[in-house]
């Protein structure tokens, strides 16, 4: 099975998705084990309040650095996503915690450009997709001025951003569903 059959990346993101690695995302919890998910699983909103951790699996991963991003292509609702995509995370300088391993946790050495924003689909909305993608980081990322902490998170065009800073196509990705807290 090809890896790109394992994660549904919405066409509206205009991303060429043919990954080389599997991405695992999990949310540390104050008490108890971290909450992870398989591709497309629904995650309780109250489990997504902490900054997620990221792991990559696959052969010949390399040393990085990598850029990790998360967007919601369904805002404010999947039926009428006129605010999409909402940027929920954008961080760079992720590297494998261990070298020469095929399953590694990614750690970063700098603050995120956009810190993790917990999902918050509005009451009455169907669950939203939260897409996580990993890119090889190029020299253009650290010096980019398109996105900073005060840039609007709404209507974030990930494909235009990736092109402008030379990220290329993502090397890994996944998504989760999160519904309103009712």
């Amino acid at each position: 099975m090809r890896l790109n059959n394992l994660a549904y990346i919405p066409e509206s993101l205009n991303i060429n998705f043919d990954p080389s690695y599997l991405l695992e995302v999990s949310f540390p919890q104050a008490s108890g084990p971290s909450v992870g998910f398989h591709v497309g699983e629904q995650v309780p909103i109250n489990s997504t309040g902490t900054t997620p951790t990221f792991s990559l699996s696959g052969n010949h991963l390399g040393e990085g650095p990598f850029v990790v991003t998360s967007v919601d292509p369904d805002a404010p609702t999947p039926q009428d996503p006129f605010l999409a995509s909402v940027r929920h995370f954008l961080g760079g300088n992720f590297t494998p915690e261990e070298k020469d391993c095929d399953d590694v946790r990614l750690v970063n050495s700098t603050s995120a450009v956009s810190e993790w924003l917990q999902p918050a689909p509005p009451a009455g909305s169907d669950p939203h997709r939260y897409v996580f993608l990993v890119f090889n980081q190029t020299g253009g990322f650290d010096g980019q001025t398109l996105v900073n902490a005060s840039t609007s998170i709404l209507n974030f065009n990930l494909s235009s951003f990736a092109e402008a800073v030379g990220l290329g196509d993502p090397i890994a990705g996944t998504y989760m569903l999160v519904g309103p807290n009712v």
Side-chain angles (χ1 to χ4, degrees):
M1 174 181 275
R2 292 176 49 87
L3 290 177
N4 62 348
N5 291 333
L6 298 177
Y8 169 68
I9 305 304
E11 288 183 16
S12 62
L13 292 181
N14 295 317
I15 294 287
N16 180 29
F17 188 66
D18 189 15
S20 303
Y21 306 100
L22 293 175
L23 172 62
E24 294 181 20
V25 179
S26 60
F27 294 90
Q29 302 298 298
S31 60
S34 293
V35 173
F37 60 90
H38 295 285
V39 174
E41 281 186 337
Q42 188 156 343
V43 177
I45 197 168
N46 61 351
S47 296
T48 64
T50 59
T51 301
T53 60
F54 308 103
S55 299
L56 289 176
S57 299
N59 295 325
H60 312 294
L61 181 60
E63 296 183 16
F66 305 104
V67 171
V68 180
T69 186
S70 178
V71 296
D72 172 2
D74 297 326
T77 67
Q79 294 78 13
D80 187 20
F82 68 89
L83 296 175
S85 286
V86 174
R87 188 177 62 252
H88 279 263
F89 183 80
L90 177 62
N93 299 307
F94 281 88
T95 56
E97 189 171 50
E98 299 176 33
K99 306 291 186 219
D100 301 321
C101 294
D102 291 340
D103 291 322
V104 295
R105 181 173 178 249
L106 297 180
V107 295
N108 68 337
S109 56
T110 59
S111 297
V113 175
S114 292
E115 296 292 338
W116 173 247
L117 175 66
Q118 182 177 13
S125 174
D126 289 343
H128 289 214
R129 295 166 293 176
Y130 293 86
V131 178
F132 297 86
L133 296 170
V134 177
F135 296 85
N136 281 312
Q137 183 172 326
T138 59
F141 182 79
D142 280 335
Q144 68 84 22
T145 57
L146 299 171
V147 175
N148 59 46
S150 63
T151 306
S152 175
I153 61 171
L154 304 177
N155 295 303
F156 178 60
N157 188 323
L158 178 57
S159 61
S160 292
F161 175 80
E163 183 178 342
V165 299
L167 294 180
D169 296 330
I171 62 168
T174 191
Y175 81 101
M176 66 180 179
L177 295 170
V178 177
N181 194 14
V182 290

